[in-house]
Amino acid sequence: MGCYDKTLGSINTLGNCLRKVGIDEAIVKEIQDSLKELWDMRSQKGVAHLGNRPTGKHLKDVFSELVEKVAAAYTLLCEILAEKYTIELP
């Protein structure tokens, strides 16, 4: 697609590809923000790495909210792909 940039990670590369095919910036942001939040929680702030628990909420609630956001982002991404491309599964 010509949107690869070796200085970017996969989430930002995905954003570049979505922009290249004409997806509205607000939708790109919605998808990227959810994935970035998941990446951030897992990679930098996650309990598995630093032991930092989110404050003000139960961990179960934080996890449930994040799962809902990421599921919505993937659903939106699948809808975009289905609309833009004919995908044949093996």
Side-chain angles (χ1 to χ4, degrees), residues 37 41 53-69:
E37 185 177 349
M41 184 169 274
R53 290 180 168 264
T55 57
K57 293 184 178 182
H58 289 5
L59 189 56
K60 175 186 72 134
D61 296 332
V62 171
F63 178 74
S64 293
E65 289 173 12
L66 185 54
V67 166
E68 287 178 19
K69 285 181 188 177

Side-chain angles (χ1 to χ4, degrees), residues 86-90:
T86 301
I87 301 170
E88 293 185 31
L89 299 175

Side-chain angles (χ1 to χ4, degrees), residues 39 55 60 79-80 82:
W39 182 89
T55 57
K60 175 186 72 134
E79 290 170 359
I80 290 167

Side-chain angles (χ1 to χ4, degrees), residues 24-66:
D24 183 81
E25 185 61 31
I27 294 172
V28 174
K29 183 174 175 11
E30 181 180 339
I31 292 169
Q32 281 187 293
D33 286 354
S34 297
L35 298 176
K36 285 178 181 179
E37 185 177 349
L38 175 64
W39 182 89
D40 190 45
M41 184 169 274
R42 171 64 181 94
S43 299
Q44 296 177 353
K45 298 178 183 172
V47 174
H49 291 279
L50 303 175
N52 295 335
R53 290 180 168 264
T55 57
K57 293 184 178 182
H58 289 5
L59 189 56
K60 175 186 72 134
D61 296 332
V62 171
F63 178 74
S64 293
E65 289 173 12
L66 185 54

